Amino acid sequence: QRYVERLKALHEIDRAILAAQSPEEIAQAALHRIRHLVPCQLASVALFDMDALEVTLLAAQTPDDTLVGTGTRFSLDAFGIPEALRKGEMQVVRDTQVLAEPLPFDLALRGEGTRCYARVPLMARGGVIGALNLGAETPGGLTQEHLDIAREVADQLAIAIQQARLYMEVQRHAAELEQKVEERTRELQAAND
């Protein structure tokens, strides 16, 4: 019965992601629903821009289900992307209190009371485009089942975000072309007059 409930919830996440238009809406829809499957204190979706060395927070949810931080940018160094995540592997920290060399990301989570977290890569076009981040208040608070669910959601999230970004890029190019056609038409009319 638990497995059936999990499948229903994952299907609901898929439907919500497909109904959303922008990467931010997609992230918000996924976060709102994943917290029904994974008992986490914090949840966020971040996109990486390796060229600009920036991380953009698409959405983040707090324990009271408040969405915060949409559009916030961080330096890649402050966010800290470990080598495993860069390679497309999930990073799981079972207890932030016992890290020998915590990154600024780890320290920020510690300050918010997060003891355990997972950073699940969002993979598109053979590379990492971002991460789904989940944090729990207790050490080891994310079970293997929770991590499996997070990976399934991250896979759907990455595809939907990439498609939304491509759609927005096509729309922008179409608007630019339309503007150029209008300008050229005006020039030709002015030359004929």
Side-chain angles (χ1 to χ4, degrees):
Q1 183 174 348
R2 223 168 121 195
Y3 183 71
V4 170
E5 288 174 15
R6 175 178 163 182
L7 287 178
K8 284 181 185 177
L10 288 170
H11 178 67
E12 184 179 319
I13 290 171
D14 286 346
R15 285 190 3 216
I17 287 172
L18 290 173
Q21 297 293 318
S22 69
E24 293 82 6
E25 289 174 354
I26 291 166
Q28 290 171 4
L31 290 184
H32 179 71
R33 285 165 179 82
I34 195 171
R35 294 189 64 210
H36 297 291
L37 290 170
V38 179
C40 54
Q41 171 193 11
L42 300 171
S44 68
V45 176
L47 291 185
F48 306 151
D49 185 337
M50 299 301 191
D51 296 331
L53 300 176
E54 282 187 335
V55 176
T56 302
L57 191 62
L58 284 186
Q61 277 193 320
T62 61
D64 63 359
D65 277 342
T66 305
L67 282 164
V68 296
T70 301
T72 305
R73 295 181 186 273
F74 305 95
S75 74
L76 211 51
D77 291 336
F79 189 76
I81 302 177
E83 192 58 32
L85 195 60
R86 288 178 192 266
K87 291 179 181 178
E89 300 168 11
M90 184 185 308
Q91 178 196 19
V92 180
V93 173
R94 298 284 178 197
D95 190 351
T96 59
Q97 297 295 336
V98 297
L99 291 173
E101 296 180 32
L103 297 168
F105 181 81
D106 301 313
L107 297 174
L109 289 177
R110 231 189 248 176
E112 295 171 1
T114 300
R115 294 287 303 268
C116 172
Y117 71 84
R119 294 164 74 174
V120 186
L122 301 178
M123 304 291 293
R125 292 186 175 184
V128 177
I129 63 166
L132 168 63
N133 308 293
L134 302 173
E137 293 176 306
T138 58
L142 298 171
T143 67
Q144 188 58 50
E145 181 182 5
H146 299 144
L147 299 176
D148 291 343
I149 290 168
R151 187 177 304 279
E152 290 175 35
V153 171
D155 289 345
Q156 293 301 320
L157 198 52
I159 292 167
I161 288 171
Q162 189 65 17
Q163 286 179 330
R165 290 165 95 184
L166 291 172
Y167 178 77
M168 290 169 65
E169 188 176 322
V170 166
Q171 293 293 84
R172 185 176 54 80
H173 284 299
E176 287 173 2
L177 284 173
E178 188 174 316
Q179 183 179 1
K180 287 179 182 179
V181 167
E182 287 175 7
E183 288 172 5
R184 184 66 179 146
T185 301
R186 281 193 298 273
E187 289 172 4
L188 290 172
Q189 286 175 344
N192 287 337
D193 290 341

